[in-house]
Amino acid sequence: MFMGISPEKSKSDVLRAGTAAGVQAGFVKSSHRKILYRGLVLVALLAGFGFWARVAAAQEERPEITPGERKAPRKKEAGPRAVGVLQFAANGKTSLVPVAILISGKFWDATAYKADPIPMALETGTVYEAERAGNSLGLFTVSSALHSKAVNVPSPWIGTGEWLAAGAEEANKALKAEPVPLGIDTGDGPPRLTRNPQPAAAPATAPAPPSASPATPAGPTSGDEPPRLTKGVPAPAPAPSTGSAAPTASGDSKLPDAKPEDAKAAERAKVPESDSGASESGRPTLRRGKPTEALPEDEVPGYSKVGAAAAGAPASATPAANAGKSAEATPDMGPVQLVPAISDAAVAVPRSFTFEWLKDEEGERRQQMVTLAKEQVRAYVDARARAKITPKPAGPQTARHAPAAKTKDPVLDKVQMTAYDLWGNNQPVLVFSAEAHLPPPPAGAAFSAVDAELQYSILLVAYPDTYNNLHKIYVGVTDKYHLDLTPRLELIDALDADGDLRGELLFRETSDNGTGWVIYRASADKLSKMFDSLHPE
């Protein structure tokens, strides 16, 4: 049975179907919007990642530089740098003692480095610049190296030469006029100018044989005649030597042709060989000078040139025979002033290490250093007293030993204090040295004569800290019986030993092994040893 659809039901179905279709279309549109939004976000993220990746790569290629930060420039290895000590004697003579030579950042003993046959630091023509606290005093040019094989000699090598103080000018050489001006006749007659004075000085030629026809003169016979051009006339042969056959007049005889190679070899033979060794495998050289005249050669008692004594002395007086003997007694030349000197192929302006004191500041610092030095000497004496071994009494001890008396303040002599600006920050580094001895004991008190007459040597290096207190960086107290433990140090001066524009301290060292030189670098906590001639590393 066929059933029909009512209009109301069909309309509601149509409305329901339309609503469902609209909802489905809206859902599809919203889904498409979400997908598009997510795609755009993903593209933006990828673009951001790519941008920051490029920025990071650029930062890796260009290192980050902190604003205000300055990196110290690395010094180029320009060549060797030699350190020496100039000895200025009271008699006016000056000599150089080589100390150390810096090669590739390491110090070597200058008396032994490249000593073949003389050390590199004493080669002829080497120029040293003397400095006092970094200020230039003048130039010293080495002329000769002297050697000694004596046992107790302070240095086996010394150099002599010429000293030129700063600001002094070299002596002007007097100009000598020629006795007769060139081109003027020296006869008794009136002077006459000549056009060509060379034919008068030409070598004599051999006389022509009788069979030969007289030759046409090749040039003017007198200087008064005008010059004439001649056609190809063969040059006359030189006069034959004695005992040789006379040349024939025929045209077959020819002069030997001089080869250009032989002429160049002869010119090279005339040039003196250099003793700098620069051609030996690119060997570097120190600061060299070009003297215009022969440098002076002074004689020093106990020293001689290499091979000079062996050549002019008998076999019993050779250096090998005198190697174990002591040095001869040298005459008293008075006080000798010691000044550090530096030779460097890279000439640079020296930096001053002088410290300028404020008003009344030096006296206050000196008093502080004196007080600190006395404390260190007392501590040294007390430590040596405790280290002594005293024999115990044989019987039983009935009474207790009385406590040891307190050591009195020592007496300081030869007090010297020098301040340097080693670090370039206007902070003084104080170097204090003195000789000390204990005061005489009271009358009736027991004492040791050896201890009472014993002299102590003290070297103290300190600098004021932020709180105006002295900060010790080196203390050295010793006596003649303990030089093996603590050597005696004598300040020479401050200098720039390695060329880094910072100051180091040069001392003369005395120990049980002898006398040598030592270079220290001052830091905030201690003195670091850079070179020691008695104990080379």
Side-chain angles (χ1 to χ4, degrees), residues 253-275:
S253 60
K254 296 182 180 179
L255 295 177
D257 297 334
K259 297 182 179 180
E261 292 79 2
D262 298 342
K264 293 181 180 180
E267 292 296 333
R268 287 194 298 266
K270 295 179 182 179
V271 179
E273 295 182 359
S274 174
D275 59 347

Side-chain angles (χ1 to χ4, degrees), residues 235-257:
S241 59
T242 305
S244 60
T248 59
S250 60
D252 298 338
S253 60
K254 296 182 180 179
L255 295 177
D257 297 334

Side-chain angles (χ1 to χ4, degrees), residues 51-113:
F51 172 76
W52 288 112
R54 288 193 298 270
V55 171
Q59 289 183 351
E60 290 180 359
E61 294 178 359
R62 183 178 59 184
E64 182 180 359
I65 300 178
T66 305
E69 181 183 0
R70 296 182 180 179
K71 296 184 179 180
R74 296 183 59 185
K75 182 183 177 183
K76 298 181 180 180
E77 296 292 340
R81 185 179 180 90
V83 178
V85 174
L86 285 177
Q87 301 180 133
F88 294 92
N91 57 3
K93 292 187 177 181
T94 307
S95 58
L96 174 72
V97 178
V99 176
I101 184 169
L102 181 66
I103 303 292
S104 300
K106 183 178 180 180
F107 282 100
W108 301 86
D109 189 0
T111 60
Y113 187 82

Side-chain angles (χ1 to χ4, degrees), residues 178-271:
E178 296 292 337
V180 179
L182 185 64
I184 296 181
D185 192 5
T186 59
D188 296 336
R192 294 183 301 175
L193 296 176
T194 60
R195 294 180 179 272
N196 187 13
Q198 295 181 358
T205 58
S211 58
S213 61
T216 304
T221 58
S222 174
D224 298 335
E225 299 178 1
R228 298 177 180 177
L229 296 177
T230 59
K231 296 183 180 181
V233 179
S241 59
T242 305
S244 60
T248 59
S250 60
D252 298 338
S253 60
K254 296 182 180 179
L255 295 177
D257 297 334
K259 297 182 179 180
E261 292 79 2
D262 298 342
K264 293 181 180 180
E267 292 296 333
R268 287 194 298 266
K270 295 179 182 179
V271 179

